[in-house]
Amino acid sequence: MKLTPLFVGALTLALATSASAQTLTIATVNNGDMVRMQGLSSAFTADTGIELNWVVLEENTLRQNVTTDIATNGGQYDVMTIGTYEAPIWAKQGWLVPLDGLSADAAYDVDDLLPPIRDGLSYEGKLYAAPFYGESSMVMYRKDLMEKAGLTMPDAPTWEFIGEAARAMTDRANDINGICLRGKAGWGENMAFLTAMSNSFGARWFDESWKPQFDQPEWKSTLDTYLSLMADAGPAGASSNGFNENLTLFQQGKCGMWIDATVAASFVINPTDSTVADQVGFALAPDNGLGKRGNWLWAWSLAIPTSSQNQDAAVQFINWATNKAYLETVAAQDGWANVPPGTRASLYANADYQAAAPFAKMTLDSINSANPSEPTVQPVPYTGVQFVAIPEFAGIATNVGQLFSAALAGQMSADDALAQAQDAATRDMTRAGYIK
């Protein structure tokens, strides 16, 4: 068959249209900043012609889905939202595409990324995930309730003060809980909080021979303090509460204090969503005088699995979502206080951001104070602040989290939860070959 110029032109146009109609499938978490990103993404599609298929999931479900997909080379997603735990482990396995294009892009300015955040997302000096927002954890509290209780929140409180304040602010008759803390089971839910808390109590997951330490007094002190605090001053049904549930409670005025991710700061002072926006103060995560605070280090980040068939387009999307211009886009729409925090030094040097975000310095100080290389008071063979950077940790900590959540729900004692955690972790670490 003879191809006429008209036919060739039509074929060329059809192929070009097909190429431009590329679709990326993006798996992300249902946190506020990600929901905002989804809402703004039509501008990316308009500029590039790349369509976006969003899979927005609850935190525990997201982790399960993306872990299964990448470990089986499933190819279901082109862009995955992962964290500081997964990035170096999956990069070592060869499961992630190195973001060399971003690193070489002067406009993207990878050197502007905060060193603790960038280092946590790198493997052998290469960036494998781009941070969408970074966080530590801190105390958010009601200034009016603190004043009513006759107390003043220090910038750097102790756990003893937190306990005193929480009990003093509790007013069950008016549905006010002195404190809201994570109770929902999951290695990234209640165990993120409890692991960070345990560091400040001198506890550790494993000793230098990789033997679990839940039978040691430091973990008992951690869990007893947590359970007692939640029984005296926490909300009903706390064993079902994670980040989003506690955020809602705090915004509704039902929590005197909330110790959680620094990223929540902009949500609790937003008068559109928070009934207590003008009464919120901030403080560093508590300590016990042992040299470690109960704060973590994390970044929700965007990465490309090697199974993606749309890697070039995925890089374009990640560039759009995590560069400096995106922060300015959010600021123009929702104000500087609502831009994704914790990723870029330039943001914390921005006078407009400093003026709009009273939590900026506290967030940066919390991020910079977390030390993944020395997370505990006593020596340990692992890195990671609220997690242990080994592949087996997610499974082990999920099991432990279920036990501690059951103790919070009154289904078992603290001693039983710790004993079962010790047995289960010892069994799993022996099977994995860590304990000889």
Side-chain angles (χ1 to χ4, degrees):
M1 182 177 88
K2 183 177 180 181
L3 299 181
T4 66
L6 181 62
F7 179 83
V8 172
L11 179 61
T12 301
L13 178 61
L15 290 173
T17 301
S18 175
S20 67
Q22 199 168 16
T23 298
L24 294 175
T25 298
I26 302 169
T28 195
V29 66
N30 64 341
N31 290 348
D33 283 300
M34 272 60 178
V35 173
R36 181 182 287 117
M37 172 176 63
Q38 183 182 3
L40 293 171
S41 63
S42 58
F44 171 79
T45 298
D47 288 344
T48 63
I50 299 170
E51 300 289 338
L52 304 176
N53 174 36
W54 292 89
V55 181
V56 183
L57 302 167
E58 183 271 336
E59 190 168 319
N60 283 341
T61 305
L62 173 78
R63 288 191 167 107
Q64 293 167 2
N65 284 16
V66 298
T67 299
T68 299
D69 187 74
I70 202 163
T72 59
N73 200 36
Q76 185 177 354
Y77 308 113
D78 298 298
V79 177
M80 292 177 165
T81 302
I82 65 172
T84 309
Y85 167 70
E86 296 96 345
I89 293 175
W90 291 1
K92 184 178 180 180
Q93 295 287 342
W95 293 347
L96 299 177
V97 176
L99 299 180
D100 297 333
L102 292 183
S103 298
D105 185 347
Y108 185 82
D109 193 6
V110 72
D111 290 332
D112 185 44
L113 299 177
L114 294 172
I117 299 297
R118 178 181 175 181
D119 291 347
L121 301 174
S122 300
Y123 174 68
E124 294 186 341
K126 284 189 174 184
L127 189 69
Y128 279 85
F132 183 71
Y133 68 75
E135 65 181 36
S136 184
S137 53
M138 64 183 178
V139 183
M140 293 159 275
Y141 67 95
R142 292 269 302 276
K143 292 185 286 187
D144 56 334
L145 295 182
M146 190 69 68
E147 182 179 357
K148 183 179 178 181
L151 298 170
T152 301
M153 174 69 80
D155 286 341
T158 63
W159 282 107
E160 182 179 7
F161 176 85
I162 293 296
E164 177 188 358
R167 291 174 174 91
M169 287 191 288
T170 298
D171 183 357
R172 303 289 194 201
N174 290 301
D175 200 18
I176 295 174
N177 309 284
I179 195 163
C180 293
L181 302 173
R182 296 189 187 193
K184 181 187 291 185
W187 71 263
E189 280 280 8
N190 66 335
M191 291 315 298
F193 174 80
L194 283 167
T195 299
M197 180 180 179
S198 77
N199 292 339
S200 67
F201 278 70
R204 49 186 177 168
W205 267 84
F206 307 107
D207 69 9
E208 292 168 284
S209 299
W210 291 104
K211 293 179 180 177
Q213 297 293 290
F214 294 106
D215 59 354
Q216 297 301 302
E218 293 85 0
W219 261 110
K220 178 170 173 52
S221 180
T222 301
L223 191 58
D224 282 347
T225 300
Y226 167 77
L227 295 176
S228 174
L229 187 56
M230 294 296 279
D232 294 345
S239 61
S240 298
N241 293 347
F243 174 86
N244 284 324
E245 292 81 6
N246 284 328
L247 170 61
T248 298
L249 287 172
F250 193 92
Q251 289 176 324
Q252 292 174 347
K254 296 181 179 180
C255 302
M257 289 182 289
W258 180 31
I259 305 174
D260 212 296
T262 53
V263 72
S266 66
F267 305 142
V268 297
I269 66 163
N270 185 337
T272 302
D273 302 316
S274 176
T275 62
V276 296
D278 62 344
Q279 293 295 335
V280 181
F282 305 97
L284 293 174
D287 74 351
N288 261 338
L290 300 177
K292 297 293 180 183
R293 293 203 163 272
N295 62 301
W296 61 65
L297 181 67
W298 186 257
W300 276 120
S301 308
L302 304 178
I304 306 168
T306 53
S307 56
S308 169
Q309 301 300 307
N310 301 299
Q311 293 180 14
D312 290 342
V315 170
Q316 289 185 62
F317 174 78
I318 290 176
N319 190 326
W320 171 81
T322 65
N323 65 26
K324 295 178 184 177
Y326 179 82
L327 303 183
E328 294 173 358
T329 298
V330 174
Q333 174 177 289
D334 296 323
W336 275 106
N338 295 299
V339 304
T343 63
R344 291 185 171 273
S346 58
L347 178 64
Y348 292 90
N350 184 316
D352 292 333
Y353 182 66
Q354 291 176 1
F359 49 81
K361 184 179 185 303
M362 194 69 69
T363 295
L364 186 61
D365 288 348
S366 296
I367 288 173
N368 287 334
S369 69
N371 186 355
S373 298
E374 297 180 4
T376 55
V377 175
Q378 301 179 71
V380 289
Y382 55 84
T383 60
V385 182
Q386 78 279 21
F387 58 82
V388 177
I390 58 173
E392 295 80 8
F393 176 77
I396 295 172
T398 294
N399 291 337
V400 174
Q402 290 168 348
L403 294 168
F404 290 176
S405 186
L408 179 61
Q411 297 167 2
M412 65 173 66
S413 68
D415 288 345
D416 285 345
L418 289 166
Q420 291 187 42
Q422 179 70 15
D423 290 345
T426 300
R427 180 185 65 245
D428 290 344
M429 291 297 283
T430 302
R431 289 175 177 173
Y434 289 87
I435 300 175
K436 307 300 183 185

